[in-house]
Amino acid sequence: MLKDKYDQLIFKHGFVNEPVSSSIDLRKEISLLKKVKNAVILGHYYITPELQDISDFLGDSLALAQQAQKTDADIILFVGVHFMGETAKILNPTKKVIVPDLNAGCSLAESAPADAFEAFKNQHPDHKVISYINCSAEIKALSDVIVTSSNAMKIVESFPKDQPLIFAPDKNLGNYINSVTGRDMILWNGACMVHEKYSLGKIVALMDQHPDAVFIAHPECEQPVLMVADFIGSTTALLNYVSKSNANEFIVATESGILHQMQKACPDKSFIPAPSIDSTCGCNDCSYMKLNTMQKLYLALKYEKPEIILEPAIIEKAKIPILRMLELSK
Ligand code: 13P
Ligand code: SF4
């Protein structure tokens, strides 16, 4: 039974769908609500610049999980996508974890339905399961260890060479790790809808037009794109790379939200979003990440909804591989 008006709105829309007066100073209200409720805002680099700027902590998937583990806030407002909110909830079962919009999913997480994945896992009983953090809590519960793009290589290499491995759900990241480590992990056939759309032809043409530009890419990109990259890394690794590099121009193959932090860190350098096969604007946006808005964030904090709710049994099981990852990342 739906309890109140707001639960009904969330059931229908995935967020509190209430008009917000344009006279409200959202930044001020959000900062007030945060103090009153002892809430913390955790944001991923792919959200809009405005949301990045009001986040208390901004980071890649690993740093956000680490931050969620150590926060003493009563409420965690996760501005990213659903699996990130779930990870924060798994690490903090007694805290309230809220998100601006429950519809903010992830194509990678959706590519691995729990039933199909469990059947696949059962076909390979001697394999350990390594899952990229971009997956549902149910998939995490079926995994031996979780990885992010920052620590995947190190964690895969922590397994003995003769240990058969399954890597899910990102076939591109899995394939990249196989190619660097010489492993032969069985890959689940999932991909990120943003990173698989980069056009190699357009990127090479852009590199010709900008011969001094350095091409950097996220490992969720497809292999042909990664093969021409000068540097491959997680969002944080890409950000650190451009900050330290002597180059002045970069072609960036990851979601365009990160460009805001790159530009802030290096105001004198220029960043060109890598073109995708079907974009006319030359940039790649994750439509899920971009479902987060200032209005929804404000309403989420005001009503403490929508909340991430998980079954205790799933939390118990999913926590084990996440904690294993956090331990291996120290
Ligand atoms: P990282 O920020 O961990 O590199 O992950 C990128 C991503 O796709 C998050 O959805
Ligand atoms: Fe998922 Fe790709 Fe969006 Fe990241 S960018 S949240 S992997 S769909």
Side-chain angles (χ1 to χ4, degrees), residues 117-118 120-132 139-147 152 155-169 174 178 183-188 320-321 324 328:
F117 187 72
E118 189 166 20
F120 174 75
K121 178 184 161 174
N122 290 341
Q123 284 164 18
H124 303 93
D126 55 338
H127 285 57
K128 296 279 185 203
V129 177
I130 304 179
S131 294
Y132 191 32
I139 297 294
K140 288 183 174 80
L142 291 164
S143 306
D144 291 293
V145 67
I146 301 304
V147 300
I155 293 179
V156 168
E157 286 291 58
S158 74
F159 284 88
K161 283 266 183 237
D162 57 355
Q163 170 63 56
L165 300 170
I166 289 174
F167 189 87
N178 273 347
R183 301 254 173 177
D184 188 21
M185 298 187 293
I186 301 182
L187 310 179
W188 182 261
I320 298 165
R324 199 167 281 148
L328 287 167

Side-chain angles (χ1 to χ4, degrees), residues 23-38:
S23 64
I24 292 183
D25 181 341
L26 289 175
R27 291 182 72 96
K28 214 165 121 192
E29 287 301 317
I30 289 166
S31 121
L32 205 68
L33 284 167
K34 247 178 21 183
K35 278 198 198 100
V36 174
K37 295 175 185 253
N38 187 26

Side-chain angles (χ1 to χ4, degrees), residues 44 46 60-61 83-84 132 134 149 218 220 234-235 289:
H44 187 267
Y46 293 166
D60 67 0
S61 307
F83 75 80
M84 296 177 174
Y132 191 32
N134 299 38
S149 48
H218 194 279
E220 287 174 20
S234 71
T235 47
M289 287 280 183

Side-chain angles (χ1 to χ4, degrees), residues 1-18 20 30 33 37 39 74-79 82 89 95-103 291-309:
M1 272 291 277
L2 290 168
K3 284 188 300 300
D4 62 25
K5 175 182 151 191
Y6 297 104
D7 282 345
Q8 287 179 29
L9 283 172
I10 288 157
F11 186 71
K12 194 167 166 199
H13 303 284
F15 54 94
V16 177
N17 191 15
E18 184 180 88
V20 177
I30 289 166
L33 284 167
K37 295 175 185 253
D74 295 317
I75 297 179
I76 299 172
L77 173 47
F78 214 115
V79 193
H82 195 260
K89 182 68 184 176
K95 287 185 180 167
K96 200 175 246 187
V97 176
I98 53 174
V99 294
D101 188 338
L102 283 176
N103 299 307
L291 286 176
N292 295 296
T293 63
M294 283 290 276
Q295 283 81 0
K296 287 181 197 168
L297 189 157
Y298 161 69
L299 290 169
L301 204 47
K302 185 171 170 189
Y303 296 110
E304 300 177 20
K305 292 171 196 290
E307 194 180 344
I308 299 281
I309 308 282

